[in-house]
Amino acid sequence: MTLAQSVLAQTGAASPALPTPGVVTASPDAPAGQQQGSSTSQSAGVDSTSLGEIVVTAQRRAQNLQDVPVAVTAFTADQMEARGVSTVTDIARVSPSLTVTENTNATGSSINLRGIGTFSFSIGIEPSVAIVVDDVALLQQAQAFSGLSDIARLEVLRGPQGTLFGKNAAAGVINIVTQGPTSTLTGAIGATATTDEQYRVEAMISGPLAKDVGFRLNAFYDDRQGYIRNLNTGNKLNGERNYGVRGRLDLDPFDRLNVALTGSYSNTRSDGQVRTFRSLNPGANIFGAPVQASVDGTDLGDSNYRIRLDTEPKNVSKQAMFTSRATLDLDTANLISITAYQDWRFHFLEDFDQLGTPTLSNPAVPTSAPVPNGSIATASFHARNFTQELRLVSSGKRKLDYLVALFYAKGNTDRDYSRRPNTAASWRADATTQTMAAFTQLTYNITDRTHIDAGLRFNRERITGSFLNTTPGAVPVANNATCLAECSGRSSDNEVTYKFAVRQDLSDAVMIYGSYATGYKGQGFDISTGFTPARAANPVRPETSKAYEVGIKSRFFDNRVQLNLTGFWTDFKDFQAQAQITLPDGSIVPQLSNVGALRSRGVEAELSAKVTRLLRVDASAAYTDAKIRDFSNAPCYTGQTAAQGCVRVGTGAFQDLSGATLANAPKFKYNIAATQDVELPSLPFDGFVTGEFAHQSRVSFDLLGSPVSYQRAYGVVNASIGIQSRSGREFRAALFVNNLFDENYSTSLQYAGNSNAQAVVQLLPRNSRRYAGIRMRVGF
């Protein structure tokens, strides 16, 4: 018996050598464990009348999803494939309380849980939602937008998770677990082709190399054409071409010792995301150029997929990650060492004025010389992060289960930025973070049915930030309010977070729980255009939270129905919020502020049911009330008047946002999906039909409350039909359609450039229009 199999046996999970249909297994001392391969959920549905068990690592140990006192949504690889989840943005469609706010490039996008997320231009601010891949947190949230490949399981943990996952998990965690080596030689190749010209191929081979040595190798190539037509060139924008490879080697060099070595690399090149114009007022101009000339031939409105640009955007993301995981079996516990290094490079070029005509070199002087290609912005990022974690985890069933760990991380991110010639700005910056932490998670089993869970984390962090203004012709301003030489700052902070939960098993299939947790997101430097010595001396204050949660996890009717309900109430203090301020000269300056207080509360429900032996239904719903409680000195939004609540004091402009709803926090969000298996006894395969409807209510994308930033409520229908092998060699083929009824919607709305509230632009994602395709997978 291998070490992975031994640990699985101790925790009660199925052994990889003896897979149970519909059961997803994971070792607490290996991200995915050794896997026998994956049986599709549809096949499991043909053979079983009950729901399968899902084992998750939400508390850094293998546990049945229904035994974890945390609001968790978990998806297996087959469930993700059946519902078309291939990117992080797709997760928002199938997970309650999760939304994604997209920007023109990944560095400006944010992932939000229960209305809480971090939208920041600064490289010195960490996200509120941590992205964790095989137990290693990504340094920059933008690294997560490179697509998903060879995933064994994906978990969405809602609410503060800082005691186990660290200070960048103040609102929750997306925990991604990749596939591990199989115990026998297996392989597969998959392909996807769509009507909007996406062509993807992915291949995998896995198995033993020798006794006590296993491997897995996965590679993919994806080429997707754009869907926004640039009328100036005839090219399609917002397309993407990417490829990647991941390799893993598992070794048992000595008795009781397992070592897993993983390396991955991905390269993504895209020509977007670009925004299109939704509306404009007569006479609207940007940097002195009339907007009307750049919208001729387009379809102004919420279904405008045409634009005129004189400079087409380019984004390039290159990411490498290396992880070593060593596990020593000490009989009563496992000693685990996780060492990781990640390197991410990103570069973007974009048309800052969003026009297809020349702008004026001096917008205030109508006779000034035209600028042929308008205003262009470029930036380069380079992030490196080293982490080391040492963890001692008890094994087997005992009165007291424990996890004790030490953690160290050192991260560094560089950024160069240039915008020219209008409102010219160029600078170089660097941000570092060094973290040392000690944490523990204890479970005391008072009786067989009464359990107490407690977690504690001590975190010490040191941060630095430096900024050098390289804008040609920059001159000093009053009160040393600009950085002509290098501005730099440093700070440190200590914080203790904790969590306490009580759970009671009312029966073998029904558990209720209540928990209280504190959350913390570290301080940071607002390193962006407009950085000043004052910002260097005063980092943005840490964000803290207090979270209350109650829930019930249950199964009924011989495990045919699973219903999980959660009620939550979280109070945040000094929430870190990003805004863009338009100055009197028309220049746009990012500004990060601490919101005094906000509150997120609501109810979530998740349902899975085997209605019949061949029909499965999955549904989730969330009601979220996420509001600002105190933000009396908030900046005014672009174009806001005194009648709309903007108060001018000297050169500043302020509004009171107390009582306002958070950005991209829909009050209602739900989805329902059904899979009907079709037995075809006279054929060597069976069929299946799936359907899904996802809906969310009206939202605003602007924290400052701009009236043009509201996206109306919408719902999207996806469907598929296909065949799959009944036994033996894996085979699956499906015809699918996305957004069946062509429901257009945006994931970002704002005023264009310095149009002084005269023109509105939108970001329309790929999934906002209908497309169809075929997806196939063959394995052995």
Side-chain angles (χ1 to χ4, degrees):
M1 178 179 289
T2 67
L3 175 61
Q5 292 171 326
S6 173
V7 174
L8 285 167
Q10 291 172 357
T11 59
S15 165
L18 297 170
T20 302
V23 177
V24 179
T25 61
S27 165
D29 59 346
Q34 288 191 331
Q35 313 243 345
Q36 178 68 29
S38 60
S39 57
T40 65
S41 57
Q42 285 79 16
S43 292
V46 172
D47 297 333
S48 175
T49 58
S50 64
L51 295 167
E53 174 186 298
I54 295 182
V55 176
V56 298
T57 52
Q59 295 193 124
R60 297 293 183 97
R61 61 168 66 242
Q63 293 175 285
N64 186 331
L65 173 66
Q66 296 303 97
D67 294 333
V68 179
V70 178
V72 185
T73 302
F75 301 96
T76 68
D78 297 311
Q79 290 171 331
M80 292 171 62
E81 180 180 0
R83 300 185 66 174
V85 177
S86 59
T87 66
V88 168
T89 55
D90 291 329
I91 304 172
R93 191 184 74 246
V94 297
S95 177
S97 305
L98 189 147
T99 59
V100 176
T101 304
E102 296 186 74
N103 211 315
T104 52
N105 64 75
T107 61
S109 299
S110 70
I111 300 171
N112 317 300
L113 278 167
R114 295 174 174 172
I116 309 300
T118 299
F119 166 42
S120 173
F121 295 110
S122 174
I123 56 175
I125 300 297
E126 61 190 6
S128 294
V129 178
I131 310 298
V132 177
V133 180
D134 292 339
D135 268 344
V136 178
L138 301 182
L139 179 61
Q140 297 288 339
Q141 187 170 255
Q143 295 173 244
F145 290 89
S146 296
L148 302 171
S149 175
D150 204 30
I151 306 301
R153 189 180 66 258
L154 188 147
E155 304 166 8
V156 181
L157 287 64
R158 305 184 292 277
Q161 307 295 330
T163 54
L164 287 176
F165 289 92
K167 61 189 177 62
N168 61 341
V173 173
I174 295 179
N175 188 34
I176 299 171
V177 181
T178 63
Q179 298 275 10
T182 54
S183 57
T184 59
L185 184 63
T186 61
I189 185 168
T192 301
T194 67
T195 55
D196 64 347
E197 299 182 271
Q198 178 190 14
Y199 303 97
R200 177 185 175 92
V201 62
E202 183 170 359
M204 176 278 294
I205 187 168
S206 176
L209 284 176
K211 183 180 179 182
D212 298 325
V213 179
F215 81 100
R216 188 180 187 95
L217 183 64
N218 171 264
F220 71 90
Y221 176 80
D222 196 341
D223 188 340
R224 176 175 58 79
Q225 292 297 305
Y227 56 92
I228 302 293
R229 176 73 70 178
N230 183 3
L231 298 179
N232 274 14
T233 64
N235 294 334
K236 290 183 177 181
L237 305 180
N238 290 18
E240 186 174 274
R241 290 152 299 283
N242 62 84
Y243 62 87
V245 62
R246 176 186 289 111
R248 174 168 159 174
L249 191 66
D250 279 18
L251 309 101
D252 292 327
F254 307 107
D255 186 35
R256 298 178 178 271
L257 177 64
N258 173 263
V259 178
L261 304 174
T262 305
S264 63
Y265 174 80
S266 65
N267 184 305
T268 302
R269 298 174 181 269
S270 66
D271 44 26
Q273 308 275 358
V274 297
R275 293 189 172 97
T276 64
F277 284 91
R278 174 173 282 202
S279 65
L280 72 155
N281 294 339
N285 71 86
I286 296 177
F287 298 127
V291 178
Q292 184 61 51
S294 291
V295 299
D296 286 346
T298 68
D299 304 313
L300 285 180
D302 60 5
S303 59
N304 179 19
Y305 291 86
R306 297 181 180 182
I307 195 171
R308 291 187 181 274
L309 289 180
D310 44 31
T311 300
E312 296 186 334
K314 299 294 179 185
N315 297 336
V316 179
S317 174
K318 300 177 181 180
Q319 183 169 192
M321 191 167 180
F322 306 94
T323 305
S324 170
R325 183 187 188 97
T327 304
L328 181 62
D329 183 357
L330 302 176
D331 283 331
T332 59
N334 292 305
L335 181 63
I336 306 166
S337 172
I338 305 171
T339 307
Y341 178 77
Q342 51 188 283
D343 186 290
W344 176 66
R345 297 173 186 267
F346 183 77
H347 176 81
F348 75 76
L349 176 151
E350 63 184 21
D351 191 324
F352 187 72
D353 56 57
Q354 303 170 83
L355 299 179
T357 60
T359 61
L360 297 182
S361 55
N362 185 350
V365 180
T367 58
S368 61
V371 180
N373 292 318
S375 189
I376 299 170
T378 62
S380 294
F381 299 76
H382 186 197
R384 291 87 69 202
N385 194 37
F386 170 81
T387 61
Q388 173 63 55
E389 184 173 329
L390 192 62
R391 188 188 307 167
L392 184 67
V393 186
S394 63
S395 58
K397 282 192 96 173
R398 54 178 63 236
K399 194 76 170 177
L400 177 67
D401 296 322
Y402 60 86
L403 179 154
V404 181
L406 298 174
F407 177 80
Y408 173 81
K410 185 173 184 179
N412 178 269
T413 305
D414 303 322
R415 183 183 181 187
D416 293 336
Y417 181 79
S418 174
R419 184 176 69 223
R420 61 188 189 279
N422 306 113
T423 62
S426 61
W427 45 267
R428 295 195 300 271
D430 175 85
T432 69
T433 175
Q434 185 177 30
T435 301
M436 292 176 286
F439 61 94
T440 184
Q441 176 91 1
L442 305 175
T443 298
Y444 183 66
N445 301 299
I446 300 175
T447 69
D448 289 342
R449 293 188 179 274
T450 305
H451 319 274
I452 294 177
D453 299 274
L456 181 70
R457 187 184 189 100
F458 170 77
N459 196 91
R460 176 169 178 79
E461 181 186 39
R462 295 178 180 177
I463 61 171
T464 68
S466 64
F467 180 95
L468 178 62
N469 188 348
T470 58
T471 305
V475 297
V477 296
N479 301 320
N480 191 29
T482 190
C483 297
L484 292 183
E486 184 179 53
C487 293
S488 63
R490 64 179 60 245
S491 187
S492 61
D493 195 21
N494 299 328
E495 186 71 18
V496 175
T497 56
Y498 55 91
K499 181 176 182 177
F500 182 81
V502 177
R503 51 192 169 98
Q504 177 69 42
D505 299 324
L506 301 182
S507 70
D508 291 340
V510 180
M511 181 267 283
I512 59 173
Y513 73 92
S515 68
Y516 172 75
T518 60
Y520 163 78
K521 189 176 75 169
Q523 59 183 337
F525 291 102
D526 183 14
I527 303 175
S528 54
T529 301
F531 194 75
T532 64
R535 291 192 192 182
N538 300 284
V540 179
R541 295 189 301 275
E543 177 183 307
T544 60
S545 61
K546 298 178 180 179
Y548 306 86
E549 188 170 293
V550 294
I552 179 170
K553 296 191 174 184
S554 59
R555 285 200 169 190
F556 304 99
F557 306 118
D558 297 324
N559 282 336
R560 293 178 62 177
V561 177
Q562 176 175 296
L563 175 63
N564 295 340
L565 300 173
T566 307
F568 62 91
W569 182 303
T570 307
D571 288 314
F572 285 81
K573 180 181 179 182
D574 288 329
F575 178 71
Q576 297 168 355
Q578 180 77 59
Q580 288 184 240
I581 311 302
T582 302
L583 300 181
D585 65 356
S587 60
I588 298 174
V589 177
Q591 178 177 308
L592 195 70
S593 305
N594 282 111
V595 175
L598 60 86
R599 173 176 292 161
S600 175
R601 57 187 178 182
V603 179
E604 299 158 336
E606 295 179 280
L607 172 72
S608 295
K610 289 296 292 289
V611 181
T612 69
R613 185 169 61 89
L614 302 178
L615 174 62
R616 172 171 175 146
V617 174
D618 294 280
S620 67
Y623 166 79
T624 305
D625 181 26
K627 289 186 176 179
I628 299 171
R629 297 181 60 207
D630 179 19
F631 197 13
S632 57
N633 60 340
C636 294
Y637 59 78
T638 301
Q640 188 174 5
T641 65
Q644 293 170 317
C646 184
V647 178
R648 302 194 177 276
V649 180
T651 59
F654 306 94
Q655 62 171 319
D656 186 356
L657 283 176
S658 302
T661 299
L662 283 179
N664 203 1
K667 185 150 295 212
F668 297 99
K669 186 170 180 282
Y670 64 89
N671 70 79
I672 182 168
T675 299
Q676 175 70 57
D677 292 310
V678 181
E679 292 180 321
L680 303 171
S682 61
L683 298 174
F685 51 77
D686 288 324
F688 62 87
V689 179
T690 70
E692 177 189 50
F693 177 69
H695 180 274
Q696 74 169 44
S697 60
R698 181 175 181 258
V699 296
S700 170
F701 294 115
D702 184 13
L703 176 76
L704 303 183
S706 170
V708 303
S709 67
Y710 284 88
Q711 166 61 49
R712 61 177 175 79
Y714 65 90
V716 173
V717 175
N718 298 333
S720 69
I721 183 171
I723 58 174
Q724 61 187 2
S725 57
R726 199 162 31 243
S727 60
R729 177 177 296 179
E730 177 188 359
F731 174 77
R732 179 181 172 89
L735 297 172
F736 65 91
V737 60
N738 177 84
N739 200 344
L740 178 63
F741 298 107
D742 209 19
E743 180 78 5
N744 303 127
Y745 60 91
S746 65
T747 52
S748 175
L749 280 164
Q750 64 183 56
Y751 287 117
N754 71 337
S755 64
N756 296 318
Q758 297 297 302
V760 178
V761 290
Q762 61 193 348
L763 199 156
L764 299 169
R766 178 201 182 193
N767 289 335
S768 68
R769 63 189 312 185
R770 179 174 53 236
Y771 63 88
I774 183 171
R775 187 183 298 118
M776 298 183 65
R777 182 178 177 87
V778 178
F780 64 88

PDB file of all heavy atoms in Angstrom, residues 489-507:
ATOM      1  N   GLY A 489       8.645  53.822   0.880  1.00  0.00           N
ATOM      2  CA  GLY A 489       8.112  53.675   2.227  1.00  0.00           C
ATOM      3  C   GLY A 489       8.197  52.229   2.662  1.00  0.00           C
ATOM      4  O   GLY A 489       8.332  51.320   1.842  1.00  0.00           O
ATOM      5  N   ARG A 490       8.135  52.018   3.957  1.00  0.00           N
ATOM      6  CA  ARG A 490       8.132  50.665   4.514  1.00  0.00           C
ATOM      7  C   ARG A 490       7.287  50.665   5.768  1.00  0.00           C
ATOM      8  O   ARG A 490       7.106  51.689   6.430  1.00  0.00           O
ATOM      9  CB  ARG A 490       9.552  50.188   4.800  1.00  0.00           C
ATOM     10  CG  ARG A 490      10.292  50.984   5.849  1.00  0.00           C
ATOM     11  CD  ARG A 490      11.696  50.420   6.084  1.00  0.00           C
ATOM     12  NE  ARG A 490      12.519  50.426   4.890  1.00  0.00           N
ATOM     13  CZ  ARG A 490      12.962  49.321   4.282  1.00  0.00           C
ATOM     14  NH1 ARG A 490      12.635  48.118   4.785  1.00  0.00           N
ATOM     15  NH2 ARG A 490      13.688  49.391   3.199  1.00  0.00           N
ATOM     16  N   SER A 491       6.743  49.502   6.079  1.00  0.00           N
ATOM     17  CA  SER A 491       5.896  49.391   7.254  1.00  0.00           C
ATOM     18  C   SER A 491       5.830  47.925   7.668  1.00  0.00           C
ATOM     19  O   SER A 491       6.183  47.030   6.878  1.00  0.00           O
ATOM     20  CB  SER A 491       4.495  49.934   6.977  1.00  0.00           C
ATOM     21  OG  SER A 491       3.716  49.979   8.155  1.00  0.00           O
ATOM     22  N   SER A 492       5.394  47.679   8.880  1.00  0.00           N
ATOM     23  CA  SER A 492       5.217  46.307   9.356  1.00  0.00           C
ATOM     24  C   SER A 492       3.959  46.252  10.197  1.00  0.00           C
ATOM     25  O   SER A 492       3.464  47.278  10.691  1.00  0.00           O
ATOM     26  CB  SER A 492       6.430  45.839  10.162  1.00  0.00           C
ATOM     27  OG  SER A 492       6.609  46.656  11.314  1.00  0.00           O
ATOM     28  N   ASP A 493       3.452  45.048  10.356  1.00  0.00           N
ATOM     29  CA  ASP A 493       2.187  44.887  11.060  1.00  0.00           C
ATOM     30  C   ASP A 493       2.114  43.484  11.640  1.00  0.00           C
ATOM     31  O   ASP A 493       2.576  42.520  11.023  1.00  0.00           O
ATOM     32  CB  ASP A 493       1.023  45.130  10.096  1.00  0.00           C
ATOM     33  CG  ASP A 493      -0.294  45.342  10.817  1.00  0.00           C
ATOM     34  OD1 ASP A 493      -0.261  45.692  12.010  1.00  0.00           O
ATOM     35  OD2 ASP A 493      -1.352  45.151  10.193  1.00  0.00           O
ATOM     36  N   ASN A 494       1.537  43.371  12.825  1.00  0.00           N
ATOM     37  CA  ASN A 494       1.260  42.088  13.462  1.00  0.00           C
ATOM     38  C   ASN A 494      -0.240  41.932  13.613  1.00  0.00           C
ATOM     39  O   ASN A 494      -0.937  42.911  13.917  1.00  0.00           O
ATOM     40  CB  ASN A 494       1.918  41.982  14.839  1.00  0.00           C
ATOM     41  CG  ASN A 494       3.427  42.096  14.768  1.00  0.00           C
ATOM     42  OD1 ASN A 494       4.040  41.678  13.786  1.00  0.00           O
ATOM     43  ND2 ASN A 494       4.029  42.674  15.801  1.00  0.00           N
ATOM     44  N   GLU A 495      -0.740  40.737  13.417  1.00  0.00           N
ATOM     45  CA  GLU A 495      -2.184  40.516  13.533  1.00  0.00           C
ATOM     46  C   GLU A 495      -2.454  39.083  13.973  1.00  0.00           C
ATOM     47  O   GLU A 495      -1.762  38.136  13.554  1.00  0.00           O
ATOM     48  CB  GLU A 495      -2.878  40.781  12.204  1.00  0.00           C
ATOM     49  CG  GLU A 495      -4.386  40.713  12.256  1.00  0.00           C
ATOM     50  CD  GLU A 495      -5.024  41.882  13.013  1.00  0.00           C
ATOM     51  OE1 GLU A 495      -4.332  42.903  13.207  1.00  0.00           O
ATOM     52  OE2 GLU A 495      -6.199  41.762  13.389  1.00  0.00           O
ATOM     53  N   VAL A 496      -3.469  38.932  14.819  1.00  0.00           N
ATOM     54  CA  VAL A 496      -3.932  37.614  15.240  1.00  0.00           C
ATOM     55  C   VAL A 496      -5.373  37.451  14.770  1.00  0.00           C
ATOM     56  O   VAL A 496      -6.225  38.302  15.042  1.00  0.00           O
ATOM     57  CB  VAL A 496      -3.855  37.445  16.768  1.00  0.00           C
ATOM     58  CG1 VAL A 496      -4.469  36.114  17.184  1.00  0.00           C
ATOM     59  CG2 VAL A 496      -2.411  37.527  17.241  1.00  0.00           C
ATOM     60  N   THR A 497      -5.641  36.392  14.031  1.00  0.00           N
ATOM     61  CA  THR A 497      -7.003  36.071  13.621  1.00  0.00           C
ATOM     62  C   THR A 497      -7.382  34.721  14.203  1.00  0.00           C
ATOM     63  O   THR A 497      -6.519  33.886  14.491  1.00  0.00           O
ATOM     64  CB  THR A 497      -7.138  36.028  12.089  1.00  0.00           C
ATOM     65  OG1 THR A 497      -6.191  35.092  11.553  1.00  0.00           O
ATOM     66  CG2 THR A 497      -6.885  37.399  11.479  1.00  0.00           C
ATOM     67  N   TYR A 498      -8.676  34.516  14.353  1.00  0.00           N
ATOM     68  CA  TYR A 498      -9.112  33.264  14.963  1.00  0.00           C
ATOM     69  C   TYR A 498     -10.491  32.887  14.449  1.00  0.00           C
ATOM     70  O   TYR A 498     -11.219  33.710  13.879  1.00  0.00           O
ATOM     71  CB  TYR A 498      -9.125  33.364  16.497  1.00  0.00           C
ATOM     72  CG  TYR A 498      -9.938  34.512  17.042  1.00  0.00           C
ATOM     73  CD1 TYR A 498     -11.288  34.352  17.363  1.00  0.00           C
ATOM     74  CD2 TYR A 498      -9.354  35.769  17.238  1.00  0.00           C
ATOM     75  CE1 TYR A 498     -12.027  35.396  17.872  1.00  0.00           C
ATOM     76  CE2 TYR A 498     -10.098  36.823  17.744  1.00  0.00           C
ATOM     77  CZ  TYR A 498     -11.427  36.634  18.054  1.00  0.00           C
ATOM     78  OH  TYR A 498     -12.177  37.675  18.550  1.00  0.00           O
ATOM     79  N   LYS A 499     -10.821  31.619  14.683  1.00  0.00           N
ATOM     80  CA  LYS A 499     -12.121  31.095  14.269  1.00  0.00           C
ATOM     81  C   LYS A 499     -12.571  30.050  15.274  1.00  0.00           C
ATOM     82  O   LYS A 499     -11.763  29.279  15.794  1.00  0.00           O
ATOM     83  CB  LYS A 499     -12.043  30.473  12.871  1.00  0.00           C
ATOM     84  CG  LYS A 499     -13.368  29.921  12.367  1.00  0.00           C
ATOM     85  CD  LYS A 499     -13.253  29.412  10.937  1.00  0.00           C
ATOM     86  CE  LYS A 499     -14.596  28.910  10.430  1.00  0.00           C
ATOM     87  NZ  LYS A 499     -14.515  28.467   9.020  1.00  0.00           N
ATOM     88  N   PHE A 500     -13.874  30.041  15.530  1.00  0.00           N
ATOM     89  CA  PHE A 500     -14.455  29.075  16.459  1.00  0.00           C
ATOM     90  C   PHE A 500     -15.764  28.574  15.868  1.00  0.00           C
ATOM     91  O   PHE A 500     -16.586  29.366  15.399  1.00  0.00           O
ATOM     92  CB  PHE A 500     -14.694  29.733  17.820  1.00  0.00           C
ATOM     93  CG  PHE A 500     -15.257  28.797  18.846  1.00  0.00           C
ATOM     94  CD1 PHE A 500     -14.437  27.924  19.548  1.00  0.00           C
ATOM     95  CD2 PHE A 500     -16.622  28.774  19.119  1.00  0.00           C
ATOM     96  CE1 PHE A 500     -14.964  27.062  20.500  1.00  0.00           C
ATOM     97  CE2 PHE A 500     -17.155  27.918  20.065  1.00  0.00           C
ATOM     98  CZ  PHE A 500     -16.312  27.052  20.756  1.00  0.00           C
ATOM     99  N   ALA A 501     -15.941  27.253  15.865  1.00  0.00           N
ATOM    100  CA  ALA A 501     -17.164  26.673  15.302  1.00  0.00           C
ATOM    101  C   ALA A 501     -17.629  25.514  16.163  1.00  0.00           C
ATOM    102  O   ALA A 501     -16.813  24.764  16.710  1.00  0.00           O
ATOM    103  CB  ALA A 501     -16.926  26.200  13.867  1.00  0.00           C
ATOM    104  N   VAL A 502     -18.937  25.384  16.277  1.00  0.00           N
ATOM    105  CA  VAL A 502     -19.564  24.261  16.964  1.00  0.00           C
ATOM    106  C   VAL A 502     -20.477  23.571  15.966  1.00  0.00           C
ATOM    107  O   VAL A 502     -21.260  24.229  15.272  1.00  0.00           O
ATOM    108  CB  VAL A 502     -20.374  24.718  18.185  1.00  0.00           C
ATOM    109  CG1 VAL A 502     -21.067  23.527  18.842  1.00  0.00           C
ATOM    110  CG2 VAL A 502     -19.485  25.431  19.188  1.00  0.00           C
ATOM    111  N   ARG A 503     -20.370  22.257  15.863  1.00  0.00           N
ATOM    112  CA  ARG A 503     -21.246  21.512  14.963  1.00  0.00           C
ATOM    113  C   ARG A 503     -21.855  20.316  15.688  1.00  0.00           C
ATOM    114  O   ARG A 503     -21.217  19.695  16.535  1.00  0.00           O
ATOM    115  CB  ARG A 503     -20.511  21.080  13.695  1.00  0.00           C
ATOM    116  CG  ARG A 503     -19.211  20.375  13.900  1.00  0.00           C
ATOM    117  CD  ARG A 503     -18.426  20.262  12.590  1.00  0.00           C
ATOM    118  NE  ARG A 503     -17.068  19.820  12.807  1.00  0.00           N
ATOM    119  CZ  ARG A 503     -16.650  18.576  12.664  1.00  0.00           C
ATOM    120  NH1 ARG A 503     -17.505  17.611  12.283  1.00  0.00           N
ATOM    121  NH2 ARG A 503     -15.392  18.252  12.881  1.00  0.00           N
ATOM    122  N   GLN A 504     -23.082  20.046  15.317  1.00  0.00           N
ATOM    123  CA  GLN A 504     -23.836  18.971  15.958  1.00  0.00           C
ATOM    124  C   GLN A 504     -24.427  18.084  14.881  1.00  0.00           C
ATOM    125  O   GLN A 504     -25.129  18.553  13.980  1.00  0.00           O
ATOM    126  CB  GLN A 504     -24.957  19.546  16.832  1.00  0.00           C
ATOM    127  CG  GLN A 504     -25.839  18.508  17.494  1.00  0.00           C
ATOM    128  CD  GLN A 504     -25.103  17.723  18.585  1.00  0.00           C
ATOM    129  OE1 GLN A 504     -24.357  18.307  19.361  1.00  0.00           O
ATOM    130  NE2 GLN A 504     -25.303  16.411  18.622  1.00  0.00           N
ATOM    131  N   ASP A 505     -24.131  16.796  14.951  1.00  0.00           N
ATOM    132  CA  ASP A 505     -24.727  15.828  14.037  1.00  0.00           C
ATOM    133  C   ASP A 505     -26.090  15.434  14.584  1.00  0.00           C
ATOM    134  O   ASP A 505     -26.186  14.731  15.589  1.00  0.00           O
ATOM    135  CB  ASP A 505     -23.834  14.598  13.904  1.00  0.00           C
ATOM    136  CG  ASP A 505     -22.467  14.922  13.345  1.00  0.00           C
ATOM    137  OD1 ASP A 505     -22.382  15.816  12.482  1.00  0.00           O
ATOM    138  OD2 ASP A 505     -21.480  14.303  13.783  1.00  0.00           O
ATOM    139  N   LEU A 506     -27.141  15.892  13.926  1.00  0.00           N
ATOM    140  CA  LEU A 506     -28.490  15.525  14.353  1.00  0.00           C
ATOM    141  C   LEU A 506     -28.800  14.086  13.975  1.00  0.00           C
ATOM    142  O   LEU A 506     -29.635  13.434  14.616  1.00  0.00           O
ATOM    143  CB  LEU A 506     -29.506  16.480  13.732  1.00  0.00           C
ATOM    144  CG  LEU A 506     -29.325  17.971  14.071  1.00  0.00           C
ATOM    145  CD1 LEU A 506     -30.432  18.789  13.421  1.00  0.00           C
ATOM    146  CD2 LEU A 506     -29.289  18.192  15.571  1.00  0.00           C
ATOM    147  N   SER A 507     -28.135  13.617  12.941  1.00  0.00           N
ATOM    148  CA  SER A 507     -28.251  12.220  12.512  1.00  0.00           C
ATOM    149  C   SER A 507     -27.022  11.918  11.683  1.00  0.00           C
ATOM    150  O   SER A 507     -26.134  12.763  11.540  1.00  0.00           O
ATOM    151  CB  SER A 507     -29.535  12.002  11.707  1.00  0.00           C
ATOM    152  OG  SER A 507     -29.446  12.653  10.449  1.00  0.00           O
TER     153      SER A 507
END
